[in-house]
Amino acid sequence: MSEMEGAEVAEDVGKIFAQFKSATGDLTGPQLEVPLNLTSRQLNGVLNELMGNERAEPYSFFIDDQEVAGTLQSMVDDLKLSTEVVVSITYQPQATFRVSEVTRCSGTLPGHTEAILCCAFSPDCKLLMTGSGDATLRLWEISTETATGTCKGHKNWVLCCAFSPDGAMAASGSMDKDCRIWDPKSAQQMGKPLTGHSKWITSLAWEPIHLLPDGQCRRLVTASKDGTLRVWDAPTSRTLFVLSGHTSSVTSVRWSGQGLVMSGSEDRTIKVWDPVKGILCRSLEGHAHWVNHVALSTDHAMRNAPPNAKERLLSPQQRYETALGADGIERMVSASDDHTMYLWEPSRSKKPIVRMTGHVQPINHVSFSPNGRMIASASFDKSVRLWNGVTGKYLATLRGHVGAVYQVAWSSDSRLLVSASKDSTLKLWDVEVGSKTFGKLRIDLPGHADEVFACDWSADGAKVASGSKDCSLKLWRH
């Protein structure tokens, strides 16, 4: 091809009129004529120039709710847009910090004598709690990687545990039908056990801190195999309400930032409750088999664990509102044994936004990315799938595990994902939209001698914890 022809080809790139818009709908700058071969990285440069930013800030770009991953031309083709009209390009800021990928095991911590079934980092990321089949919980100091105490009292497997968002208490639910409250500093039990359920406790959730005028956590909700939920006042060990309505085991519970409780059950429904009045608000139906897990788009913000100094300056309410996004809607995703997921807006409607199909085995666990823009689902079909967190559109399948995937955890910048599997490994995936290796395996993390049941990623990004059937806790770092 001669130089002349090359120049003509370059000049032949189509153009389009574009208008940048913030997530709240405010127009930014004038309408611009831009070439269709611009990528999201080049759009970033244009927008930073328009806004007069001294330091280039990273942004994501969306046209009709679809993220610009390739060029504008590919978006125009996919969405069948006319190049005659002005296209609105909505931008949203990305995390300005980056979490380093975990690459090695920094410590294997023995202590439990049975499988570790659950683990959770404290809001300040200084402590980790693990619950085990040996009927104990253990508290670990992250900086020194040593045990700080053993919580004894349960008489059977510990199935779930969670720190209160203010970090002052921790709760655990067990197969012995009781929930217990612990002091994370001393590992001693606080008050009496929370008794009342007639079968084991499957899941628990604390009331979000931004709903509390004094910022002190008191209330939590437990879900049980007996088909009920109970709302408790933790310091006094009193039952405030029994929420009954499910006809089978309740498998998963969340306390939403709008003050509602969501519960998924083996009766195939998700129910939305008002925990202040103790009444059922609505029942969400659609699944054809057990609901195994539910997750909210604001889960990460409601852990009350700001990842860096900049976010620590914001109040819990401000962080929650940021997590809600421009449309101010809290979304929920439900995962089922029917191999499907549904995306809901439970505070607005009892009809799902979309049904998400693709897995070919039951789905164990679902989780929204911290920025709410993606959903990861872990399944018995040995894969993890990624979905758009707003539209529910399928994005990618992460393949590499050779056994069922039990759990996933996101890095706080939403760019990395770790998965825990029956195959005894954890795997780290690149899930940064627009990255050349999006959806690809970054690092294999072998080391456990048996199935890995639980994993969590600290909000400051420094450590991943994993608990296994081999009775050991492993901490992973960069």
Side-chain angles (χ1 to χ4, degrees):
M1 187 190 282
S2 70
E3 277 184 32
M4 280 294 290
E5 284 172 320
E8 277 172 22
V9 170
E11 278 175 21
D12 202 30
V13 172
K15 294 193 172 161
I16 196 168
F17 279 100
Q19 172 69 63
F20 286 106
K21 256 166 109 176
S22 72
T24 49
D26 302 325
L27 303 183
T28 304
Q31 291 177 6
L32 300 173
E33 191 177 19
V34 293
L36 282 168
N37 62 355
L38 286 192
T39 62
S40 55
R41 185 163 289 173
Q42 290 163 313
L43 283 173
N44 236 331
V46 174
L47 181 62
N48 275 293
E49 191 75 26
L50 264 184
M51 296 171 84
N53 292 340
E54 285 178 21
R55 284 181 57 216
E57 300 275 343
Y59 294 94
S60 300
F61 298 93
F62 300 83
I63 299 173
D64 288 356
D65 282 341
Q66 286 211 30
E67 189 154 0
V68 179
T71 61
L72 286 177
Q73 181 71 59
S74 64
M75 293 296 289
V76 167
D77 295 345
D78 286 355
L79 297 168
K80 301 187 171 52
L81 299 174
S82 163
T83 49
E84 304 291 317
V85 295
V86 178
V87 172
S88 283
I89 302 177
T90 307
Y91 61 89
Q92 291 185 0
Q94 286 184 0
T96 49
F97 60 97
R98 289 191 87 88
V99 171
S100 302
E101 49 191 40
V102 292
T103 56
R104 61 195 176 90
C105 176
S106 64
T108 302
L109 312 185
H112 284 297
T113 55
E114 291 285 341
I116 295 173
L117 304 175
C118 55
C119 65
F121 280 100
S122 62
D124 63 7
C125 304
K126 290 178 179 163
L127 290 174
L128 176 80
M129 187 174 219
T130 53
S132 163
D134 63 14
T136 69
L137 294 109
R138 282 180 177 249
L139 286 157
W140 312 84
E141 187 175 57
I142 296 304
S143 56
T144 58
E145 301 196 351
T146 54
T148 61
T150 304
C151 307
K152 293 180 178 168
H154 283 300
K155 299 177 186 64
N156 208 327
W157 299 0
V158 179
L159 300 176
C160 50
C161 62
F163 282 91
S164 61
D166 62 1
M169 295 180 276
S172 60
S174 163
M175 222 152 163
D176 65 10
K177 312 175 199 169
D178 292 349
C179 174
R180 289 171 194 256
I181 308 296
W182 310 91
D183 177 351
K185 292 189 183 72
S186 65
Q188 295 301 306
Q189 188 171 314
M190 299 171 78
K192 300 195 299 283
L194 312 188
T195 56
H197 283 299
S198 61
K199 288 186 180 170
W200 67 73
I201 292 172
T202 53
S203 177
L204 55 84
W206 288 90
E207 182 171 19
I209 196 165
H210 69 266
L211 298 174
L212 308 168
D214 60 356
Q216 288 188 322
C217 296
R218 290 185 69 97
R219 298 196 302 163
L220 77 155
V221 60
T222 54
S224 167
K225 193 174 164 63
D226 65 14
T228 68
L229 299 108
R230 283 176 174 255
V231 180
W232 309 85
D233 182 55
T236 60
S237 312
R238 278 188 318 122
T239 301
L240 301 175
F241 292 106
V242 180
L243 307 176
S244 52
H246 283 298
T247 56
S248 190
S249 172
V250 188
T251 52
S252 180
V253 65
R254 284 286 186 275
W255 198 313
S256 88
Q258 289 159 344
L260 297 168
V261 166
M262 328 287 188
S263 59
S265 163
E266 289 183 3
D267 68 7
R268 312 196 302 272
T269 69
I270 299 110
K271 295 199 188 299
V272 182
W273 312 84
D274 179 337
V276 178
K277 296 178 184 159
I279 55 171
L280 177 66
C281 300
R282 55 177 65 104
S283 190
L284 312 179
E285 295 175 9
H287 282 297
H289 209 312
W290 299 348
V291 178
N292 292 328
H293 198 234
V294 294
L296 294 169
S297 56
T298 51
D299 276 342
H300 190 82
M302 293 191 298
R303 283 174 76 165
N304 195 35
N308 55 19
K310 187 176 163 190
E311 290 210 16
R312 244 172 253 126
L313 298 172
L314 302 175
S315 70
Q317 180 67 33
Q318 287 169 313
R319 286 199 296 272
Y320 172 71
E321 284 168 6
T322 305
L324 274 185
D327 54 8
I329 296 167
E330 201 166 37
R331 291 180 187 81
M332 179 180 76
V333 64
S334 57
S336 166
D337 259 29
D338 68 8
H339 314 174
T340 73
M341 297 147 64
Y342 278 103
L343 188 61
W344 313 82
E345 289 173 1
S347 58
R348 296 175 89 187
S349 167
K350 55 200 279 188
K351 288 196 164 50
I353 303 168
V354 67
R355 180 170 184 249
M356 297 142 79
T357 60
H359 281 297
V360 293
Q361 288 282 322
I363 303 163
N364 283 314
H365 185 250
V366 275
S367 179
F368 274 91
S369 60
N371 63 17
R373 291 181 212 150
M374 274 192 281
I375 297 166
S377 55
S379 165
F380 274 104
D381 66 12
K382 308 174 190 169
S383 75
V384 175
R385 281 178 179 251
L386 295 176
W387 317 79
N388 181 308
V390 179
T391 62
K393 182 172 174 259
Y394 165 77
L395 298 175
T397 303
L398 315 182
R399 296 191 191 281
H401 282 297
V402 293
V405 188
Y406 291 139
Q407 216 171 16
V408 291
W410 291 87
S411 64
S412 47
D413 64 355
S414 303
R415 293 184 176 111
L416 295 165
L417 183 76
V418 69
S419 55
S421 165
K422 183 178 178 163
D423 67 11
S424 83
T425 71
L426 290 106
K427 293 193 191 305
L428 185 74
W429 310 89
D430 177 354
V431 290
E432 184 178 0
V433 173
S435 146
K436 287 194 171 77
T437 53
F438 176 74
K440 296 284 184 284
L441 179 66
R442 287 300 284 265
I443 297 167
D444 213 351
L445 301 171
H448 279 296
D450 212 328
E451 309 183 21
V452 188
F453 289 136
C455 65
D456 195 15
W457 201 320
S458 64
D460 60 9
K463 295 273 171 82
V464 167
S466 61
S468 164
K469 195 174 171 179
D470 67 10
C471 312
S472 73
L473 164 72
K474 281 185 185 286
L475 291 171
W476 309 83
R477 58 164 293 182
H478 179 59

